[in-house]
Amino acid sequence: MHCATRRPADASTRPLRRGTLAYAGYATGSPSGEARGSASRASMALRPTGSQRYAAAVADHPSDIVIVGAGPAGLCAAAAARRRGWEPVVLERAEQVGGLWARIPGDLRCLSPRERDRLPDGTSPRGPGARASAAEVLAAFERFAAFERFDVRFGVEATALERAGDGWALTTTEGVLSTRRIVVATGEFGRPFVPAVPGTFRGRQQHSSAVDPSTFAAGERVALVGSGASAV
């Protein structure tokens, strides 16, 4: 897994974008304020939307860190945050963890040996054979999240982010969440990129994230554009 990170500019309001890692309130790796232990959902300072409440929300009961996305990157970020002493709140618009692994056919196999597909706790997907199936990988993520007991809030979508004092105000479908730090781990398949190709093609065109192998007819010819892991 690769994480693209950047230190955000001091813009006021911006849409969330994949790969943005916002550090608020500390420099050279030192967090501002005391790290807190486990927090309940009631103490996470969800607020109604409205820019007039942003500063008050952050100053009231801001979360240590909010992670948008409960896929592989989001869960790994949550584990890393906890190791630093920050208790993470994880937002996931779907109803389960795993990201793309929850949507692809379960019998697909990984390209790498399963012992190299390690989670932050050192465990690997369980099962027979040298390479794990997608279903085994998803089960590994589910076990990891359940064991760590992260505060994962399903069915919540983040829509905008605004600087507020020495923290951030994150607008979600459940209101405004105040936090000191933000990690956006929404993955690369939320908005698949399909390039415009000159010419015409009368067959079916699909991005790899939407392909269902069971819909292919026996002997059907399929053209692949790209040579990455998805193509293989």
Side-chain angles (χ1 to χ4, degrees), residues 15 27 36 51 56 68 79 96 139 143 150 161-162 168 205 208:
R36 301 197 312 273
S51 58
V68 183
Q96 66 181 117
R143 284 193 301 271
F150 294 129
L161 180 64
E162 183 173 359
W168 298 89
Q205 301 181 55
S208 59

Side-chain angles (χ1 to χ4, degrees), residues 76-103:
C76 290
R82 185 170 282 173
R83 285 199 297 269
R84 281 180 170 264
W86 305 332
E87 191 56 31
V89 174
V90 184
L91 307 182
E92 173 56 55
R93 67 180 180 181
E95 296 299 328
Q96 66 181 117
V97 301
L100 180 66
W101 294 98
R103 304 194 300 272

Side-chain angles (χ1 to χ4, degrees), residues 25-71:
Y26 69 94
T28 64
S30 298
S32 62
E34 296 294 329
R36 301 197 312 273
S38 298
S40 66
R41 290 174 182 267
S43 66
M44 286 296 125
L46 280 171
R47 297 278 194 270
T49 57
S51 58
Q52 71 275 13
R53 292 199 172 188
Y54 285 172
V58 172
D60 189 3
H61 298 292
S63 303
D64 290 330
I65 184 170
V66 172
I67 299 166
V68 183

Side-chain angles (χ1 to χ4, degrees), residues 156-173:
V156 180
E157 185 172 359
T159 58
L161 180 64
E162 183 173 359
R163 199 75 154 113
D166 63 350
W168 298 89
L170 179 67
T171 302
T172 78
T173 50

